[in-house]
Amino acid sequence: MNHDSGVQVSGAQTPCVRTAPPGPLAGLTCGLVDPVGVDEPRLSWNARLPEAAAVTVAADGREVWRSVVPAGSHLVDVPGERLAPLTPYTWKVEGHASGAFTTGLRGEWDAPWLAGDPRAAVSLRGSFTRRPGRAWLAATALGVYRALLNGVRLGEEELAPGWTDYGHRTRYRLVELTDLLVQGENELELWLAPGWYAGHVAGGGPFRYGDRPAASAQVLVRDDDGVHRVLATDGTWTLRDLGRPRADLIMGETVQTPSPQAGPVETAPAPEIRVEADPAPPVRVIGTVPAVSVTEPVPGVQVADFGRNVVGRVRLRVEAPGPVRIVVRHGEELTATGRLYTDNLRTADQRDEFVLGPGTHVAEPAFTLHGFRYAEVTGWPGTLTTGDLEAVPLSSALAVTGSLTVSDPAVRQLVANIGASADGNLVSVPTDCPQRDERAGWTADISVFGSTLSFLRHTQAFLSGWVTTLIDGQRADGAVPHVAPVLPEYGYDSPVWSDALAEVPWLLWRRYGDDRTLRRAYDPMRRWADYCLAQTEDGIRPGRALGDWLAPGTVETPKSLIATAALARTLRLLAHVADVLGEPHAPEYGAAFTHVSGAFQRAFLNGPRLRTETQTGYAVALAWDLVPPEDRSAAAQALAELVRADGHRLMTGFVGTPLLLPVLSETGHHDVACRIFNQEGYPSWRYQLRAGATSMWERWDSWHHRHGLQTPSMNSFNHYAYGCVGDWLFRHVAGLGDDPRGTGGGFGELLLRPGPVPLLRHAHARYDSASGTVESGWRAGPDGVQFTFAVPEGVSARAVLPVRGAWDGMTVNGTFLMGLSEQLPTTRLADGSCALNLPPGRWSFTAPAAATAHLLQEWDDLGRS
């Protein structure tokens, strides 16, 4: 840390690992636990059925649909036409899983719309008389809303209904009201704020989509005669002051005593877009974070430190002896004098104000969002203490599905930082940063981080909904935007960024067997690929846009190399997708891949070596099969030599970083990958940790020990892209991954290949996959190494153990491996490793020191270096 830089980079605290929201993952509908508002249900269970089984769907105890699914199944579709609207259903797979869902409106949205205020949050109120039957609220907004019934908040959703491409669609939520209604009159209230629709978005000022927000809602009752609407937003409603005259997602919120007067509402024209049930988990409060210290750098200015970077708001508990005006500003770091550092926020104010009268108050904003570790408080009545405030983090509440435990506290902190940046940047859409005035759904960020994220969180419903938003932004000529929801000024048509249209649906297929998203994206993928092919000259795509963004090296990877490689990758994926979907275009795109990869070899390779040698260039060429098979080993050796020449420091940006370590590990240079990972100097993951990071940085040099902070115009301390190393930790360190040779979906084909790392003495990964819980890990000791695995029923697993020499002394679950040669036949690989197919069950292999001496020696040597 360089105090002369004027910035204090704070020390790390104990890692905070979020636990799963309540609810089992054994029975899911459309990727969610017991969802409400589903029109075409897909039922899934995290296991492969050992035999054929009956699946039944019932309403009020009466069976309405039955089907028999074959052995090996882990999902089934329910015909929507068999289901009634606004009806709760239960389902079960006999002896294996059960769940529930409630159908949506199953029709066009026709409730009128009411206008709000362009800057303030307001209250819209209407009343209705209770009617017998099951009652539901269906609500949506162009903006964000919160619903209350008879003064009591409904549900826990924040910033509903989230951010979509408002030129195409918005989404509604259903909330059951039946048990909450009182006899006679009931009052429904909607708090409505500008949100993404009319508030500030991505540095472009307010009113990007419209000049004021609008809301639409209806209360529906289902009885024996069908569905009846008993209330809708219309001209009989009233508008009231909410005491929040400033309510902006980026700029902040003002909270004060509301005016009691009510006024007439103004109707708004109905938008000509789809209003559909939200397929994704809602944004919720995911916990609270207490302040750990308070300082007063100058009189009257008090700064609370929450110990880690969070995304959300600050909740105050105020004892006011008289009227007070409290201002809370938010930032990620402090200056050398202990004041709040805000230069990297650009135009984002991140300022909340509380104008409160005498008495006791618990005050909190409702319609803003901040990225911060520190809160600077002015106007506080007296001395601020840590008990007077707490941070309230918000995130789309994705269930926790994976864990990674290791012996090194620094790596545990890294894993916690990856999870923290994931949660903080998953607020309705996957964003790039939560603090400055950008907060856009950058496509490359989620494309490179998606695999890591999908180990840690259940992403199916969330990412599937985002893919729809990405498709909405595609131009008629096939060009794909850089951000989704689309913001045209951020551009279109950047290799790797726009290729997220192929990468993310393919990831959802591989992880969850989600062929629905794959099919929805298939024609848009083809339009994108055809658009790119039309730009090629002799198979080479011109270099453009962002390249290997934020790579620290002095030698730039040619943008045309990245563009051509990314096109080849998308063509290869399209051929796979066509096969999965039974479409006839696989040969067409396979031939296009052959053409483009051949052009790549002629343009960028000289034998096995790149004409312009960069780590990223080799990583993409090897990862995406663009090197001729006969040259692959030599090219990998060239990459390893280049890394050594770079002092075992990575020189990769957003394109090369997710590929570099996996490519090295997969091509026989795991030791080189380990040296990179164990680097503590700049640039490296451990460099961030040594500087006190509690979330992932946008840049390798977000803070540098010689130069201080990077340019404030683009510097975020909460960016998940470089958290992509989590995928390498799961797959190549703990050894838990799906088999890249497989083409099936749903994580049903495993490759368990532990890769012990120097400085670690044990690592263990657990993943609640779509096919069951998978585990892989290892523990080293003076007498050898123990490898442990768990393989679910119905899943194929290939294990590769990094052992050498005679295996006579190796035991399996307490029995010598050589004695199980018929049950567990083994194959010796070229590097001496032991490969075998594992049946379902729990397995423990103990390899004696004689078979692992090479590892122990390598660990000691690498650790000392």
Side-chain angles (χ1 to χ4, degrees):
M1 181 174 65
N2 181 1
H3 290 285
D4 295 334
S5 69
V7 174
Q8 172 185 337
V9 179
S10 311
Q13 304 294 313
T14 302
C16 179
V17 180
R18 184 166 70 81
T19 57
L25 291 176
L28 298 174
T29 304
C30 298
L32 297 173
V33 176
D34 300 347
V36 175
V38 176
D39 289 336
E40 299 291 337
R42 164 164 285 186
L43 315 179
S44 61
W45 45 95
N46 58 342
R48 299 276 175 165
L49 294 180
E51 56 200 12
V55 182
T56 57
V57 175
D60 295 324
R62 179 178 57 86
E63 184 178 303
V64 299
W65 182 78
R66 170 182 287 266
S67 181
V68 176
V69 295
S73 300
H74 68 104
L75 55 80
V76 66
D77 291 326
V78 180
E81 63 270 15
R82 302 289 296 273
L83 306 174
L86 292 174
T87 302
Y89 291 92
T90 59
W91 62 272
K92 63 180 178 180
V93 183
E94 200 65 45
H96 297 282
S98 62
F101 64 90
T102 300
T103 46
L105 303 182
R106 299 188 60 77
E108 295 296 321
W109 186 271
D110 61 356
W113 291 76
L114 300 180
D117 187 277
R119 291 180 176 83
V122 299
S123 167
L124 304 171
R125 302 186 190 186
S127 60
F128 64 99
T129 301
R130 178 173 182 170
R131 171 177 176 151
R134 298 192 74 153
W136 302 86
L137 167 66
T140 188
L142 301 174
V144 293
Y145 74 89
R146 181 180 287 183
L148 300 87
L149 180 68
N150 300 323
V152 178
R153 182 177 176 181
L154 294 171
E156 299 176 345
E157 183 170 8
E158 301 280 351
L159 305 177
W163 187 13
T164 50
D165 188 330
Y166 297 111
H168 290 82
R169 72 191 72 237
T170 188
R171 289 164 174 156
Y172 71 86
R173 292 279 188 189
L174 284 179
V175 179
E176 185 167 7
L177 306 179
T178 309
D179 296 335
L180 306 175
L181 297 173
V182 299
Q183 294 299 326
E185 283 293 295
N186 290 265
E187 183 181 66
L188 179 67
E189 182 178 5
L190 298 178
W191 293 6
L192 176 64
W196 290 277
Y197 183 78
H200 287 75
V201 174
F207 316 131
R208 175 176 292 277
Y209 299 99
D211 58 3
R212 55 183 176 172
S216 178
Q218 48 193 323
V219 175
L220 303 160
V221 174
R222 181 176 178 82
D223 59 21
D224 293 340
D225 297 325
V227 176
H228 313 273
R229 187 159 74 187
V230 299
L231 176 71
T233 40
D234 60 22
T236 66
W237 284 47
T238 59
L239 183 147
R240 298 172 190 260
D241 173 37
L242 197 54
R244 297 173 189 259
R246 186 180 62 98
D248 190 276
L249 277 170
I250 287 178
M251 305 308 286
E253 190 166 331
T254 298
V255 179
Q256 62 188 36
T257 303
S259 169
Q261 287 83 15
V265 297
E266 183 177 347
T267 59
E272 296 181 359
I273 59 176
R274 289 175 56 88
V275 180
E276 61 189 17
D278 197 324
V283 177
R284 291 194 180 111
V285 171
I286 59 170
T288 57
V289 180
V292 297
S293 66
V294 176
T295 58
E296 190 170 13
V298 297
V301 176
Q302 302 180 84
V303 177
D305 177 6
F306 295 98
R308 60 188 180 93
N309 216 349
V310 299
V311 178
R313 307 185 288 248
V314 170
R315 179 183 294 151
L316 304 178
R317 297 177 181 87
V318 188
E319 294 283 350
V324 296
R325 178 179 177 270
I326 300 169
V327 177
V328 182
R329 298 168 64 232
H330 306 74
E332 295 183 297
E333 293 296 340
L334 301 178
T335 68
T337 61
R339 296 296 300 272
L340 194 71
Y341 177 78
T342 60
D343 290 355
N344 68 323
L345 303 182
R346 301 199 294 216
T347 64
D349 202 4
Q350 293 212 132
R351 174 178 52 89
D352 297 330
E353 299 182 13
F354 302 87
V355 182
L356 308 173
T360 301
H361 305 271
V362 177
E364 178 183 353
F367 299 113
T368 192
L369 196 68
H370 307 303
F372 63 101
R373 172 171 172 168
Y374 300 94
E376 180 189 85
V377 181
T378 55
W380 188 264
T383 301
L384 184 70
T385 71
T386 56
D388 293 329
L389 74 176
E390 61 187 356
V392 182
L394 272 62
S395 180
S396 292
L398 279 61
V400 174
T401 52
S403 63
L404 183 68
T405 57
V406 295
S407 57
D408 185 351
V411 182
R412 292 199 297 271
Q413 178 75 53
L414 174 63
V415 174
N417 290 2
I418 292 170
S421 284
D423 288 336
N425 283 286
L426 302 179
V427 179
S428 181
V429 300
T431 57
D432 66 326
C433 61
Q435 71 298 99
R436 67 180 181 233
D437 61 1
E438 193 166 341
R439 310 186 190 187
W442 281 95
T443 48
D445 298 50
I446 191 60
S447 183
V448 303
F449 183 62
S451 184
T452 296
L453 176 62
S454 297
F455 276 125
L456 299 172
R457 306 285 185 264
H458 198 287
T459 61
Q460 180 185 1
F462 179 83
L463 288 182
S464 177
W466 179 79
V467 167
T468 297
T469 301
L470 178 59
I471 293 170
D472 283 346
Q474 187 175 23
R475 282 194 326 219
D477 64 359
V480 177
H482 296 165
V483 299
V486 62
L487 303 170
E489 71 272 23
Y490 278 78
Y492 293 78
D493 183 19
S494 182
V496 178
W497 273 253
S498 300
D499 292 292
L501 181 57
E503 291 285 355
V504 176
W506 182 248
L507 170 68
L508 294 177
W509 159 251
R510 294 285 291 176
R511 287 299 172 93
Y512 306 108
D514 183 1
D515 58 338
R516 280 187 177 181
T517 303
L518 210 57
R519 185 165 294 283
R520 186 166 68 250
Y522 181 62
D523 284 340
M525 283 185 210
R526 293 186 62 213
R527 292 199 303 274
W528 164 241
D530 293 347
Y531 170 88
C532 294
L533 284 168
Q535 297 176 340
T536 61
E537 299 177 8
D538 297 324
I540 300 299
R541 189 166 179 225
R544 63 185 62 222
L546 301 169
D548 191 25
W549 185 245
L550 297 181
T554 57
V555 179
E556 181 180 6
T557 303
K559 290 184 177 180
S560 58
L561 181 154
I562 292 173
T564 306
L567 172 56
R569 165 71 175 173
T570 287
L571 294 169
R572 167 70 59 90
L573 289 183
L574 256 175
H576 290 327
V577 172
D579 279 336
V580 168
L581 299 179
E583 297 287 348
H585 310 105
E588 171 189 344
Y589 290 110
F593 169 80
T594 300
H595 172 65
V596 172
S597 62
F600 178 95
Q601 292 162 12
R602 291 188 294 274
F604 302 111
L605 289 175
N606 182 14
R609 305 190 77 95
L610 287 172
R611 299 182 190 278
T612 301
E613 293 194 303
T614 66
Q615 294 180 14
T616 290
Y618 278 114
V620 299
L622 289 162
W624 296 339
D625 293 327
L626 302 177
V627 177
E630 64 273 16
D631 290 334
R632 185 172 176 81
S633 177
Q637 182 63 38
L639 171 58
E641 292 170 358
L642 182 60
V643 170
R644 293 188 188 100
D646 288 329
H648 291 99
R649 285 176 165 80
L650 54 79
M651 293 293 162
T652 52
F654 276 35
V655 174
T657 299
L659 306 175
L660 178 63
L661 301 192
V663 159
L664 288 167
S665 293
E666 290 163 9
T667 57
H669 300 283
H670 186 63
D671 61 324
V672 179
C674 293
R675 285 183 184 272
I676 295 173
F677 181 71
N678 283 338
Q679 270 284 354
E680 295 194 348
Y682 167 81
S684 70
W685 288 278
R686 289 179 183 267
Y687 182 79
Q688 296 183 16
L689 298 174
R690 290 178 62 208
T694 62
S695 50
M696 303 305 298
W697 295 354
E698 175 179 22
R699 322 171 62 111
W700 296 116
D701 58 350
S702 282
W703 177 85
H704 191 276
H705 60 286
R706 291 199 182 104
H707 313 300
L709 282 179
Q710 253 295 347
T711 170
S713 65
M714 198 191 75
N715 193 14
S716 160
F717 287 90
N718 198 345
H719 235 78
Y720 53 52
Y722 287 144
C724 59
V725 71
D727 187 68
W728 179 77
L729 289 169
F730 268 92
R731 293 177 185 273
H732 297 286
V733 176
L736 191 159
D738 53 337
D739 194 333
R741 303 180 308 178
T743 57
F747 221 76
E749 303 162 287
L750 304 180
L751 174 61
L752 306 174
R753 188 167 193 163
V757 173
L759 304 183
L760 300 184
R761 288 300 169 182
H762 66 79
H764 182 269
R766 184 180 188 274
Y767 176 47
D768 294 325
S769 81
S771 298
T773 299
V774 183
E775 296 182 42
S776 179
W778 53 270
R779 180 177 294 273
D783 298 326
V785 182
Q786 182 184 41
F787 303 95
T788 57
F789 308 105
V791 180
E793 290 289 339
V795 171
S796 66
R798 184 167 63 104
V800 178
L801 306 182
V803 295
R804 294 180 185 170
W807 301 335
D808 301 35
M810 189 184 300
T811 61
V812 186
N813 294 350
T815 301
F816 283 107
L817 176 63
M818 299 305 290
L820 298 174
S821 57
E822 293 186 5
Q823 297 97 319
L824 291 175
T826 59
T827 302
R828 189 184 300 273
L829 302 182
D831 63 356
S833 298
C834 169
L836 65 164
N837 294 326
L838 287 184
R842 301 192 71 88
W843 300 92
S844 176
F845 293 79
T846 301
T852 57
H854 64 293
L855 288 177
L856 298 176
Q857 184 61 48
E858 287 175 6
W859 296 342
D860 290 341
D861 292 345
L862 289 169
R864 283 195 298 270
S865 67

